[in-house]
Amino acid sequence: MRPHLSWPVRILTASAALVAAATLVPDASAAPAPAGGVTVALGGVTRAVTAAPYPAAPPAGIACRTLVARSVTYSCVIGRSVEGRAIVATRQGNPASRRVLVVNGQMHGEEWPGTLVVDQIRALAITGRATYQIWTVRTLNPDGGRIGRRRNSHGVDLNRNFPDKFLRMSDSGPRALSEPESAAMVRFLTWVQPDLVISLHGYSTSVDTTGGGARAAWARAFSRAANITPAKVVSCSGPCHGNMTDWYSATSRVHGVAFTVEMPRSSKVVRRCGVPGRPASLSTIRCSAYAAVYLAARLPA
Ligand SMILES: [Zn+2]
């Protein structure tokens, strides 16, 4: 486990030059990955990256394939919902980099802005020459998302089903990780071990600084960049039970921290985007996508 204490300092001192700006040309004819490396398409030329990819081969329960769609080069089915819908994580950026950001777009099916943020991230030109990799999960709750329902098809709030301070309640499920969706996310995060996880929700318009330390420092950095304020401790009317960000940050025993963003309801609000080098007037959706990439470029080496 790498220490996180230096992260806030790094946030303040990292150079904007770390942001990758190269353009990837989609190449549907990408060759299969060679042993010990992966194949990426750069500038229309398919070539092998000799550095070993990170993470290593997926564990049982996760099935991956190379894919070139815009700048997405790798796509994994990390599990399936109660109704059997695929839960998909995709990767952009440098497949050999160990600086890893994960963005989860939706956990509660009636909260949709995060899915649009993921769509925006996937549309950005983040190439194999980036200094980081970004994984996005558009929805962890495809059954609920399809019909705008908060819970999964067992009536469980997935953000009460993770193994951190789990408490059996009416919507928590019978036990921690009883649900295939939450189990899929634990399987995925344990495999990838991202430095940082951004969990997108709605709609109270805030960024959660619960936990303090590096976790709160990253949350504040996102708040400033995405101009989603305030950055504050968001309570669960008492201790939170079974939520994903607490589990990943505090008790997962794997590398990294996680924080929650409560997106505003509207996707059309044009506001002051705080990401350097980007237009100030952007929708919250687009600004949040840029903010996620901005943070990824500042992850510790
Ligand atoms: Zn939510």
Side-chain angles (χ1 to χ4, degrees):
M1 180 178 293
R2 285 177 278 172
H4 303 125
L5 294 177
S6 64
W7 288 13
V9 176
R10 289 174 184 273
I11 293 170
L12 295 173
T13 60
S15 166
L18 290 173
V19 178
T23 300
L24 178 145
V25 177
D27 183 353
S29 63
V38 296
T39 301
V40 296
L42 295 167
V45 178
T46 300
R47 70 184 188 190
V49 173
T50 53
Y54 176 83
I62 296 180
C64 301
R65 65 189 178 99
T66 56
L67 168 75
V68 179
R70 294 182 180 266
S71 63
V72 171
T73 54
Y74 199 49
S75 178
C76 301
V77 175
I78 63 172
R80 291 190 177 274
S81 67
V82 171
E83 295 182 28
R85 294 187 172 86
I87 299 167
V88 178
T90 65
R91 179 170 67 191
Q92 294 159 269
N94 186 337
S97 176
R98 297 197 171 225
R99 306 161 84 203
V100 182
L101 170 70
V102 167
V103 178
N104 185 61
Q106 183 183 60
M107 189 176 299
H108 296 134
E110 85 280 29
E111 298 166 359
W112 49 264
T115 64
L116 302 184
V117 173
V118 166
D119 290 344
Q120 287 287 327
I121 294 172
R122 289 178 177 175
L124 295 175
I126 304 167
T127 79
R129 284 174 282 186
T131 58
Y132 51 84
Q133 53 176 283
I134 297 179
W135 289 81
T136 51
V137 178
R138 192 173 191 274
T139 179
L140 184 63
N141 183 4
D143 299 345
R146 188 178 65 85
I147 56 175
R149 181 189 59 211
R150 179 178 181 83
R151 300 170 182 175
N152 76 350
S153 289
H154 285 157
V156 172
D157 182 333
L158 297 174
N159 217 21
R160 304 290 180 270
N161 193 242
F162 284 79
D164 178 83
K165 300 186 292 292
F166 177 82
L167 180 67
R168 185 164 181 174
M169 299 179 286
S170 60
D171 61 353
S172 65
R175 63 189 178 281
L177 303 183
S178 59
E179 305 310 301
E181 297 91 348
S182 48
M185 182 55 81
V186 165
R187 181 185 309 124
F188 170 61
L189 293 179
T190 303
W191 172 47
V192 174
Q193 300 204 18
D195 301 285
L196 185 62
V197 180
I198 303 175
S199 183
L200 299 174
H201 287 258
Y203 294 99
S204 64
T205 315
S206 59
V207 183
D208 185 12
T209 59
T210 292
R215 181 183 179 187
W218 284 112
R220 285 192 293 269
F222 185 87
S223 172
R224 288 192 298 271
N227 195 15
I228 294 175
T229 59
K232 65 174 186 176
V233 173
V234 179
S235 75
C236 299
S237 301
C240 294
H241 294 281
N243 81 32
M244 184 184 82
T245 53
D246 281 353
W247 166 76
Y248 191 70
S249 300
T251 61
S252 70
R253 298 186 186 280
V254 298
H255 171 72
V257 293
F259 66 86
T260 294
V261 178
E262 293 281 346
M263 301 288 296
R265 186 177 293 272
S266 172
S267 66
K268 294 184 172 59
V269 175
V270 176
R271 51 195 301 172
R272 288 168 52 84
C273 184
V275 181
R278 300 297 181 185
S281 181
L282 288 174
S283 70
T284 302
I285 300 295
R286 291 189 67 193
C287 183
S288 295
Y290 285 133
V293 177
Y294 178 75
L295 263 57
R298 282 150 185 80
L299 293 172

